[in-house]
Amino acid sequence: MKITKDMIIADIIAVNPNLAGVLMACGMHCIGCPSAQGESLDEACFVHGMDTDDVVKTLNDYLEKN
């Protein structure tokens, strides 16, 4: 499965729980926050000033290697 920018954070973590750590390593430290769980990856990246395409690539690279 590929991660996309419009996926909800909770759904991304459901794909592989280790992706929470990947998101935190990217700088998204509020993964445990209930409101963050319902945001799309694109929305969360916007709030954190992160480049969504870079984060999507990082997540998909992790999935390919693990």
Side-chain angles (χ1 to χ4, degrees):
M1 174 174 219
K2 290 280 188 184
I3 303 301
T4 63
K5 68 180 181 178
D6 48 342
M7 288 179 76
I8 302 298
I9 298 292
D11 294 339
I12 292 171
I13 294 170
V15 168
N16 183 325
N18 293 327
L19 291 177
V22 176
L23 287 168
M24 290 185 352
C26 288
M28 202 173 290
H29 301 285
C30 63
I31 297 303
C33 175
S35 62
Q37 293 285 317
E39 288 181 324
S40 72
L41 181 59
D42 196 37
E43 291 168 330
C45 286
F46 176 78
V47 168
H48 289 88
M50 301 166 73
D51 184 280
T52 306
D53 293 331
D54 288 345
V55 176
V56 168
K57 181 178 181 336
T58 300
L59 293 168
N60 285 318
D61 286 350
Y62 177 87
L63 287 176
E64 286 178 21
K65 294 176 184 173
N66 296 288

